[in-house]
Amino acid sequence: MSENSHLWAAVDRIVRDQFGKEQAVLVFDNGQQLVLPLDALPSGVQPQQLVAVQFRIDLTESARRAGEVENIQRQLFEQ
């Protein structure tokens, strides 16, 4: 998948989870489903609308989280 490409998913339905938070159920062309918090999608999205899903690598956030894990491991295993 090139950097500017994306996947299409249809917003199948909007539901509430066990905590009352709204969730969107996306269905991709191959039938796979993905459930996301509704606020992760563009404002005003409705069932039956198509959304473009795009992935990107975030090296800065990856490094930040790796540092957090390293700090926790250091605290846990420090003697």
Side-chain angles (χ1 to χ4, degrees):
M1 182 180 292
S2 70
E3 188 167 322
N4 292 326
S5 64
H6 53 267
L7 302 171
W8 289 107
V11 179
D12 184 62
R13 62 193 178 280
I14 297 172
V15 298
R16 289 193 183 273
D17 67 12
Q18 66 268 29
F19 306 107
K21 301 280 187 179
E22 287 187 306
Q23 305 285 312
V25 180
L26 303 181
V27 179
F28 292 88
D29 291 340
N30 65 1
Q32 289 185 328
Q33 296 184 7
L34 176 63
V35 180
L36 295 172
L38 184 60
D39 61 7
L41 296 177
S43 178
V45 71
Q46 296 293 315
Q48 311 317 310
Q49 291 181 327
L50 290 177
V51 293
V53 179
Q54 187 172 26
F55 298 95
R56 65 181 174 85
I57 297 169
D58 188 327
L59 296 175
T60 302
E61 183 64 12
S62 295
R64 185 190 71 75
R65 290 183 183 203
E68 283 183 0
V69 169
E70 187 176 314
N71 287 336
I72 291 169
Q73 288 175 333
R74 195 175 302 121
Q75 291 172 8
L76 287 172
F77 301 111
E78 196 174 80
Q79 295 187 19

